[in-house]
Amino acid sequence: LKHRTTILLVEDDRDEVDVALRAIRQAGVDAPVEVARDGLRALELLGLEPTASAAIPLRPRVIFLDLKLPRVDGWEVLRRLREHPETAAVPVVVISSSDELEDVRRSYELGANSFLVKRFDQRGPGRYLAEAAHYWLELNHPPPRGDRVS
Amino acid sequence: MAQSPIYRGRRDLWLPALVVALGAAVSLGVWGILIAERRQATLARTAEVAAETRQLLADGVEAYVGGLHELAGLWVLVGHRPLEHWEADVAMLKHNLPGLDSVAWIDADSDEYRVSRGANPSELALPDPEDLGSASEPALVGPERTSTGGPFLRVLLPVGPGGAQGLLVARIDLETMLGRLLRGKSLGYALSIRWGNDEIFSRGEPSTDPWQGWWRVEGNLALPHGIVWHLVDRPTAELAASVLTPIPHYLLASGLMLSLLLAGLSHQLRLTLRQSRFLAASNRALEERGDELERRVAERTRELEEAVGELGAFNQMVSHDLRSPLAAVLNFTTILEEDHRDRPLDAKGLELVQRIRRSAERATGLLEGLLHLSRAGRAALDIAPIDMRRLAQEIFAQVRVAEPEAGEVEFVVEDLPQAAGDHALLGDVFSNLFTNALKYSRGCEKRRIRVRGFVEGERCVFEVADNGRGFDMRFDAKLFAMFERLDPEDEVEGTGSGLAIVARIVARHGGRVWAESRPGEGARFLFSLPRPRGDRP
């Protein structure tokens, strides 16, 4: 099932997107990756924001979410995700260039499942992202679809 | 502090002088009234006493003459009295009239002389019996002094019509007579009686105080039988002391002292009042200074907060924004290294190199944006009236050089009001707004940028409008924040510092910046600035 294995990457920087995609492929994770270049687009893909095209809402296995985004920022996306019963339990991995305690704390308070600091990985570009993708797709047991974790 | 906080009184003594003058005038007035009243009362009393004395003297002299008359009448009535009877009559009369010294009788019929015992006929200056009969009225002669005493009053008393029956001559010691008449009378007064140049009576010591010189009653007393005495009544020291109390003088002295005291008090009060006014003024000045200090503290605090905010932006920029292009450089150089270790640099490799260069350029752009923002916040404002229309035209000419397809852009500047501001910084405002307008209208039909302006009270508002893609008003909170962008970076270039710089500059001019837009309908950026001082209504 497509929706069970999809990864949603919310990232505005094209370089970051390319590096992430390359790393995920190299790590042998073959799940399709949907990319949203800003927060609004991410909400549209998830069906949380009305859109011109009546596409089926995306239900990814994991969301990689940058915090600093054009239009709607990562925290707003996270808040909206957790508000909606359909998406309340979707694992969210925050990826941010910030490692400030306030940002980390706020992310977890809003319901993030993980917080990764963007970095140059000495072992290979984006390796840490690939490892996180592997963990959430292969090792982690996902929440039942459509159910809210209460 | 240049000004001493201690008040020093001026040498301004008109008030105490006035108080002293008024006090002295009132005191002297009261004193004068009291003295005058007392003087009047005392004089009246003295005049009363003097009148009484005069009456007494007149009556007394009349009584003595009357007594002698009786003696003479007795002779005439009884006829020749035997000597021993006459002597007894004289002794009785002497007893009744103290001072009666000697008496002589010259009988007209018998030419008989009779002289009282102990009398010296030569001292009595008895006339010849032939000479009798010329005078019929009693004559009082004096004052007479002899080797044995005096002064004496000699009384010549004719008896019978024209003195036909005889003449009675009596000598009276005036001192004794007057002492007897005035015994117990006119007490407290020194009395002096003169008869011609001779002082015939004097009693009591008059006060020697020259201040009491006014207090005397003096005048002639006309007695029967042509005698004129001169009487002087003067108070004795004892009477003066009892009547002339020094109370008015005490009042005067205390009045003067009181006015001096009041003068001192009023002067002191005036000094105190002035000092308190001065202190109040000083307090006000201090309070104003305090307010000024508070205001300056608030201002500094605001500036500090702004500086901290900028520091935060710098921190943000280093930790987030500058990190990602640098990470990209590292990532792509690594990828390049990995992928092209064994093969030459093909098209794919070249693309990687380009991306590396773009990331480095982006990092540079971010640093420059930060530098500009810092300059906008730090540069000293050189406020002057600005011809905004000319400035807009100049800046657009500079900006369009960098724009690839600027030739097709229509640029319209309407008449703009003058603004008060810093020429260079306002140039930056136009520059950033024009760059934005060009950027977001790229690819649109009939690109047009229009600048308008209008006056609104004390401020003027300027508007830069384009007909580009516009933006969603939901996101306009992010519009003027540093390094925030509404579009993914590869769609429209830029670092997100332009509008933050605009907001910063306008805020420093005391103005405000805002935007209005809808997706696809162009954007309008507005900012307000103060008007030049001379230009305001």
Side-chain angles (χ1 to χ4, degrees), chain A residues 18 37 68-69 97-98, chain B residues 320-321 323 355 478 490:
Chain A
D18 286 355
R37 297 293 302 281
K68 201 173 170 202
L69 295 167
S97 51
S98 163
Chain B
H320 299 218
D321 305 280
R323 224 185 228 183
R355 292 180 84 161
K478 281 187 164 188
D490 51 332

Side-chain angles (χ1 to χ4, degrees), chain B residues 230-252:
Chain B
H230 187 78
L231 270 73
V232 180
D233 271 293
R234 276 176 296 175
T236 60
E238 293 79 33
L239 182 71
S242 70
V243 173
L244 301 180
T245 55
I247 286 175
H249 307 309
Y250 290 164
L251 278 177
L252 176 65

Side-chain angles (χ1 to χ4, degrees), chain B residues 3-7 273-283:
Chain B
Q3 190 184 5
S4 165
I6 298 164
Y7 177 74
L273 276 175
R274 271 202 204 156
Q275 198 162 353
S276 68
R277 270 204 298 275
F278 177 81
L279 281 177
S282 304
N283 275 345

Side-chain angles (χ1 to χ4, degrees), chain A residues 6-7 44 47 65:
Chain A
T6 306
I7 297 171
E44 283 171 0
L65 180 64

